[in-house]
Amino acid sequence: MPDFSLKPHTIHIGCDHAAVELKNAIISILEERGHAVIDHGTMTNDSVDYPDIAHDVCNSMEGQESTAGILLCGSGIGMSMAANRHPHIRAALCTSELHARLARRHNNANVLCMGARITGPEMARAILRVFLETDFEGGRHQRRIDKISL
């Protein structure tokens, strides 16, 4: 996976109705950093089914090494479960900067999941920054990644 911090790249983002406000704030941050953002919705607070959004984001990422994903819902749990059904996805539900650092460093996560009802905007910004700036260590961790990316 490419080093997210060195150059702008494409980020696919999606949310359910519980996280529209957080998604819009994150899109602004990403665009300020020069990333191309593809917004998979939802755009309103009208109820939607989170798996539909997660599958859309994950399907769009297939075969694209220079992409990352961000999925947001009320808790982040549903999005992470739906995303990890895709063999090329390593989605991590992060509620702290440490989670984000370890998800990237040890697990080579390519999708960041957060819960808008759990994580406030300032913490979400900090988590996002760490997720985008942390490199995968490889080495012994790659062997483990190979075992979950069958």
Side-chain angles (χ1 to χ4, degrees):
M1 177 164 286
D3 176 4
F4 294 156
S5 62
L6 294 179
K7 63 182 181 212
H9 66 285
T10 302
I11 299 178
H12 293 266
I13 190 167
C15 71
D16 73 359
H17 51 278
V20 174
E21 187 175 318
L22 181 59
K23 179 194 71 165
N24 291 337
I26 288 174
I27 288 172
S28 294
I29 294 166
L30 293 170
E31 290 176 342
E32 287 171 12
R33 291 181 69 142
H35 297 287
V37 179
I38 300 173
D39 186 351
H40 294 264
T42 192
M43 308 303 178
T44 71
N45 294 327
D46 296 336
S47 182
V48 297
D49 295 334
Y50 65 83
D52 296 337
I53 304 293
H55 295 318
D56 191 33
V57 166
C58 294
N59 287 335
S60 296
M61 291 176 59
E62 188 167 11
Q64 298 181 23
E65 286 299 312
S66 64
T67 63
I70 299 171
L71 291 169
L72 311 163
C73 63
S75 68
I77 296 168
M79 284 292 199
S80 63
M81 292 173 71
N84 280 315
R85 304 274 303 162
H86 296 260
H88 61 284
I89 296 297
R90 291 170 307 282
L93 172 56
C94 297
T95 59
S96 70
E97 293 170 82
L98 179 59
H99 282 147
R101 185 172 297 108
L102 294 174
R104 288 285 305 129
R105 189 179 291 162
H106 292 179
N107 305 111
N108 201 14
N110 58 357
V111 174
L112 170 63
C113 298
M114 291 188 283
R117 294 179 181 143
I118 308 298
T119 305
E122 289 307 311
M123 179 55 74
R125 175 187 293 267
I127 291 168
L128 175 65
R129 180 187 56 77
V130 170
F131 188 85
L132 294 175
E133 293 176 357
T134 303
D135 293 329
F136 177 51
E137 284 183 358
R140 72 183 193 275
H141 302 294
Q142 184 60 55
R143 181 179 72 246
R144 296 166 184 155
I145 298 307
D146 292 342
K147 290 180 179 185
I148 64 172
S149 299
L150 301 174

